[in-house]
Amino acid sequence: MSYRVCFVCTGNICRSPMAESVFRTRIEEAGLDGLVEVDSAGTDGWHEGDGADSRTVAVLEAAGYESGHAARQFHVSWFSDLDLVIALDSGHLKALRRLAPTPEDATKVRLLRSYDPDAGDDLDVPDPYYGPLDGFEECLEMVEAASPGLLAAVQQELEGRAA
């Protein structure tokens, strides 16, 4: 059974698809693409079915990442199939933990930047949607900085399963 990770932001068109794309690449580079499934969703369904924001696509493609994406809304029923639910900011963290049907499911929800040892106290990835392109570039930098720590945590979980 695959280890499943879902990244969640508000509309699933900026931060979470960016995190999904970067982390999927890290999983492939680590040779874990058959063992780990990566996807994303939004706490709200406003953009369901839409592609990623064009600025997200531009930043991802400029950095060499794939950008194919269709937005969707996170559903409570998914908790039972997920191993980690990665929130992009503290508002998402609170919303997802409130949605969690069990205390065990609530513990699956973590902030992405908690995996970045240099993040400091501010663990939110700011929403770039209403700003210029450099906000999307900053978002990508934060996602990339947290990805090695997240990858290490997932690898440790996989090793625990194999033991």
Side-chain angles (χ1 to χ4, degrees), residues 5-141:
V5 179
C6 183
F7 294 92
V8 182
C9 68
T10 306
N12 193 217
I13 59 169
C14 297
R15 294 172 284 179
S16 58
M18 191 177 288
E20 174 188 358
S21 181
V22 169
F23 196 62
R24 181 175 287 119
T25 298
R26 297 298 170 263
I27 291 296
E28 291 168 1
E29 290 169 350
L32 300 173
D33 48 326
L35 300 172
V36 180
E37 291 180 41
V38 181
D39 57 23
S40 65
T43 56
D44 298 304
W46 303 322
H47 300 285
E48 208 158 14
D50 294 345
D53 183 284
S54 61
R55 297 164 292 179
T56 297
V57 171
V59 167
L60 283 171
E61 290 180 351
Y65 297 104
E66 290 187 27
S67 61
H69 174 74
R72 61 194 188 137
Q73 185 173 4
F74 186 87
H75 294 278
V76 173
S77 62
W78 297 355
F79 271 107
S80 62
D81 293 328
L82 293 170
D83 296 287
L84 273 177
V85 181
I86 304 295
L88 277 288
D89 71 29
S90 55
H92 306 129
L93 179 80
K94 290 174 189 165
L96 289 162
R97 285 188 174 161
R98 277 193 308 267
L99 283 175
T102 69
E104 181 183 274
D105 288 326
T107 65
K108 295 177 182 180
V109 184
R110 309 273 174 78
L111 280 168
L112 174 64
R113 292 193 71 211
S114 68
Y115 294 96
D116 178 357
D118 299 323
D121 293 333
D122 184 6
L123 298 181
D124 287 353
V125 176
D127 187 353
Y129 185 75
Y130 293 104
L133 186 63
D134 62 348
F136 288 80
E137 293 165 344
E138 179 185 14
C139 179
L140 179 61
E141 289 172 11

